[in-house]
Amino acid sequence: MKKISVLDRILLLATGLLAAYQVAAGIDGMEPLTIWFYTISFGTLLVAGLLLIILGFEGLESQAVIIVSALIPLSLSLGLVSEHLVGYTIPYLIFCGVGFIAIAITRFSVTSKIATIILAVVHGIAGLIIFLLPISLSIQGAMPAGFALVGLGGAVIGLGGLLLAFLKAGKPILSQKTILSLLPGLLFLMTAAFVYGFSFR
Amino acid sequence: MENKKQTFKQIRSKYFPLIKSLQTGLLLITGLAGYMSARCPVMNMTTLLALGGSLLLSVSGSTALNMWYDRDIDAKMPRTSNRPLSTGETKPREALIFGLLLSIIGVGWALAIDPLYGIVVFAGLFFDVVVYTIWLKRRTAWSIIWGGISGGMPILAGRALGIGYIDWVGVALAMAVLFWIPTHILTFSLRYQEDYKAANIPTFPSVYNNQITRIIIAISSVLTALAMGFAAVGVGMTWGFLRLIVVLSIGLLALAIQSLTLPSERITFGLFKYASLYMLSSMLLLFAAGFLI
């Protein structure tokens, strides 16, 4: 397993600080439910960043990582849906709840192929919402152009999520060392894009 | 010039390790945060500096006295055997005079700033040196409760100085530190249990067992998070800061639960580090709340 470097730690700390800023100051003035969805998402990013700094990349060996990290795209996409597609909030909340439970159960009880398919479907849908919804809102003029950056963050989270998911499923797209070298940078870029994008709201 | 440099280096290597800079620094931060939690109308830079100076001296003094008294057991534990008192670099008499001087000046300064503040600072020093170190540390594993009470005194003192009396928020802040200390110390005693056995110091892992120790760590973490949450509400933190406290507390609880259900040395020491980071972050939030509210 790759050892965590000083640069990795700096990037993860910066990620944690950006996520902390977003939880404390970046999501005020929204509906309470939306605030909590975003809090779960950025809060998970914050705690994950701190734990990676403390435990190193070996911390990713736990099966719980896949389950907990699914919270990031699920709750972020839920926040976007509850803010901009209010009518779809309940159905999408049900989808996320069922998807999250399915990811958790299949981690421990079925073949890795089924677990990977479920993970890819749930992550994929959440990732597409985070990627497409902000860009589409910006193009339509419903939100300022800068809000599209949230979509860019969605693309990065999708990429990072896929790399990690296939790595954990035992079918890595890139070598483990390359993925772990890229991970802190991807997490930072993604969080920076989210935080900056949300500032245009 | 070269001689002066050499003398300074010698003094630094003899005395600086006696004050356990990280631990003292964290306690100092809790005291300053307790004061800042009283918010802007009472906050001024002169008092803040006096608070910082008197607390730094008092906490450093009590730590030096603690090290002086524990020099025999420190020498038996590999982790602490290279401390200057164990190696003989610092003479016991020098450490005792150093500790007494810092303590007397620190507590005296604290009493001069404000009698109530001074009494709480003195209580912290008394609980740490007399009750915890001299009386109970070598007799019972439960001594950490008294170590915890002493650790909670700087934040209570800071708060008392800020508002002029002891209120429930100050007590809740002190309780948060008190409950955090078992999380911090017990994870440490799990990792270094052989050291403590060698020195014949009763700890929870040696007197009870590792699983009971982990259960106590988990309970302490829950109580820390609850006390910190109550205190944060009492201080009047904004919703944003409260959300951040909740997020950090959930991280602490999750690690404590993982340490209980899937114990490993990595998770145990991860919890130790996260608990320190949690306390530091909570204190920084109290600071920020003092500026922003």
Side-chain angles (χ1 to χ4, degrees), chain B residues 49-110:
Chain B
L49 287 173
L51 165 81
S54 57
L55 257 187
L56 177 66
L57 291 174
S58 309
V59 177
S60 301
S62 85
T63 309
L65 290 174
N66 185 316
M67 288 261 242
W68 164 76
Y69 190 80
D70 280 345
R71 63 192 183 281
D72 57 332
I73 54 176
D74 280 350
K76 290 177 190 165
M77 300 198 283
R79 183 177 64 82
T80 52
S81 59
N82 60 352
R83 285 179 178 170
L85 271 163
S86 307
T87 58
E89 188 181 352
T90 309
K91 301 276 178 288
R93 192 180 139 79
E94 292 172 334
L96 176 63
I97 292 171
F98 177 67
L100 282 174
L101 260 179
L102 293 185
S103 302
I104 291 166
I105 297 171
V107 173
W109 190 0

Side-chain angles (χ1 to χ4, degrees), chain A residues 20 23-24 27-28 35-36 39 43 46-47 50-51 54-55 58 62, chain B residues 240-241 243-244 246-248 251 255 258 266-267 269-270 273-274 277:
Chain A
V23 170
I27 49 179
D28 285 332
I35 287 178
W36 280 110
T39 298
L46 164 61
V47 174
L50 293 178
L51 290 181
I54 290 170
L55 300 173
E58 287 86 347
S62 165
Chain B
F241 283 9
R243 285 196 298 269
L244 206 46
V246 169
V247 164
L248 292 167
L255 261 184
Q258 189 164 7
R266 175 177 294 279
I267 293 296
F269 208 59
K273 287 182 177 172
Y274 187 89
L277 204 57

Side-chain angles (χ1 to χ4, degrees), chain B residues 229-280:
Chain B
F230 277 122
V233 172
V235 164
M237 273 190 183
T238 61
W239 275 111
F241 283 9
L242 287 176
R243 285 196 298 269
L244 206 46
I245 290 262
V246 169
V247 164
L248 292 167
S249 299
I250 289 172
L252 183 69
L253 299 180
L255 261 184
I257 291 167
Q258 189 164 7
S259 153
L260 198 61
T261 52
L262 296 165
S264 73
E265 196 180 335
R266 175 177 294 279
I267 293 296
T268 302
F269 208 59
L271 178 59
F272 170 79
K273 287 182 177 172
Y274 187 89
S276 300
L277 204 57
Y278 173 80
M279 189 47 68
L280 180 65

Side-chain angles (χ1 to χ4, degrees), chain A residues 87-153:
Chain A
Y88 291 91
T89 304
I90 299 296
Y92 188 62
L93 178 62
I94 294 168
F95 165 78
C96 287
V98 171
F100 183 73
I101 292 167
I103 288 173
I105 292 173
T106 53
R107 271 304 101 192
F108 300 102
S109 60
V110 295
T111 60
S112 70
K113 193 174 176 184
I114 295 173
T116 307
I117 290 170
I118 287 177
L119 187 72
V121 168
V122 176
H123 262 271
I125 291 173
L128 276 177
I129 289 174
I130 302 170
F131 175 54
L132 294 176
L133 186 56
I135 292 175
S136 139
L137 288 167
S138 297
I139 291 171
Q140 287 169 19
M143 293 297 282
F147 190 63
L149 277 170
V150 176
L152 177 69

